[in-house]
Amino acid sequence: RIREAKRTNGIIFSLIKALELHDKYTEGHSQSVAELTSKVAKKMKLSDEIINSAYWGGLLHDIGKILIDKRILNKNGRLTSEEYTEIKNHTVFGNDILNQVKEMEHLAKIVRHHHERWDGKGYPDELKGEEIPLESRIISLADAWDTMVNRRSYRKPLTHEEAVKEIKENTGTQFDPTIAKIFLEIVEG
């Protein structure tokens, strides 16, 4: 059992390293999202099993980007609507990749739904509210936060205060209100 876990962890870290080589803006992002997701899950007093799957789901949330053209991922400036549609496919691609490894099948659904929105206007399946896996709802916030506070090819980072304002303004529409409250307690600490 321990040997199997080490093998799975090795596969995951190899996948993340491959993604970071493919997408320069992903370097460190997956680890940051995983750590923040884990903090939120712990503060919510969730089971060790959910904390663990939230962490690993956070680490793997963008793995599907490995199948997205590098020119799109690293493009300076705004994406065309076709490019944006292609980027959105990373959630489905991630689901498909993880479903190929028996030990990671439980993470596939979490990865697939990390861009769903509380109001049902997300993707890929337009799930709403608690239809969205709990771990995905937590990852959604951690992912948005890390993206906002770090530089991207298409924009400068937001300040801490601007990012907090964005989270507050999107609570109840993009983000689960209960998770957002706990998340803000952590980042405003």
Side-chain angles (χ1 to χ4, degrees):
R1 190 111 170 114
I2 291 172
R3 184 178 299 160
E4 184 179 300
K6 284 183 180 181
R7 187 176 141 260
T8 302
N9 292 356
I11 292 168
I12 290 171
F13 285 113
S14 294
L15 286 169
I16 297 305
K17 188 63 181 167
L19 175 60
E20 289 177 348
L21 291 170
H22 182 66
D23 177 12
K24 64 184 176 183
Y25 289 99
T26 302
E27 189 168 359
H29 172 69
S30 296
Q31 187 66 45
S32 295
V33 170
E35 289 171 6
L36 193 46
T37 297
S38 180
K39 278 185 193 174
V40 173
K42 286 176 184 172
K43 188 163 178 78
M44 291 175 71
K45 297 183 176 20
L46 299 174
S47 71
D48 288 345
E49 183 179 335
I50 292 175
I51 293 167
N52 193 38
S53 64
Y55 174 82
W56 291 106
L59 200 59
L60 289 163
H61 77 284
D62 277 342
I63 198 61
K65 286 184 177 178
I66 206 160
L67 298 176
I68 305 292
D69 188 319
K70 275 175 109 163
R71 291 173 301 206
I72 296 172
L73 287 177
N74 297 311
K75 180 179 179 179
N76 287 316
R78 296 190 76 71
L79 298 172
T80 67
S81 61
E82 293 82 16
E83 290 167 336
Y84 182 60
T85 298
E86 181 67 16
I87 290 276
K88 288 177 14 177
N89 286 330
H90 81 279
T91 59
V92 175
F93 295 158
N95 177 79
D96 294 347
I97 290 167
L98 296 176
N99 268 323
Q100 300 303 308
V101 181
K102 184 168 178 39
E103 296 86 357
M104 292 189 228
E105 287 174 346
H106 69 289
L107 299 173
K109 182 173 73 167
I110 294 167
V111 167
R112 179 181 180 94
H113 297 299
H114 79 276
H115 278 293
E116 301 288 358
R117 290 172 46 114
W118 186 251
D119 62 8
K121 295 179 181 172
Y123 61 89
D125 300 315
E126 298 180 348
L127 299 182
K128 183 178 186 176
E130 293 186 5
E131 295 172 349
I132 306 164
L134 177 59
E135 297 94 326
S136 302
R137 286 182 269 148
I138 300 169
I139 291 166
S140 173
L141 261 160
D143 182 31
W145 176 266
D146 192 71
T147 299
M148 285 189 277
V149 299
N150 288 292
R151 178 173 291 286
R152 291 290 180 255
S153 61
Y154 49 88
R155 63 148 186 80
K156 295 179 194 171
L158 298 182
T159 65
H160 185 272
E161 295 74 24
E162 290 168 332
V164 165
K165 184 175 182 244
E166 281 288 316
I167 298 292
K168 287 179 179 176
E169 287 176 357
N170 289 289
T171 294
T173 54
Q174 183 175 355
F175 306 118
D176 177 323
T178 303
I179 296 170
K181 181 179 184 289
I182 291 165
F183 184 87
L184 289 168
E185 288 172 10
I186 291 171
V187 297
E188 291 184 300

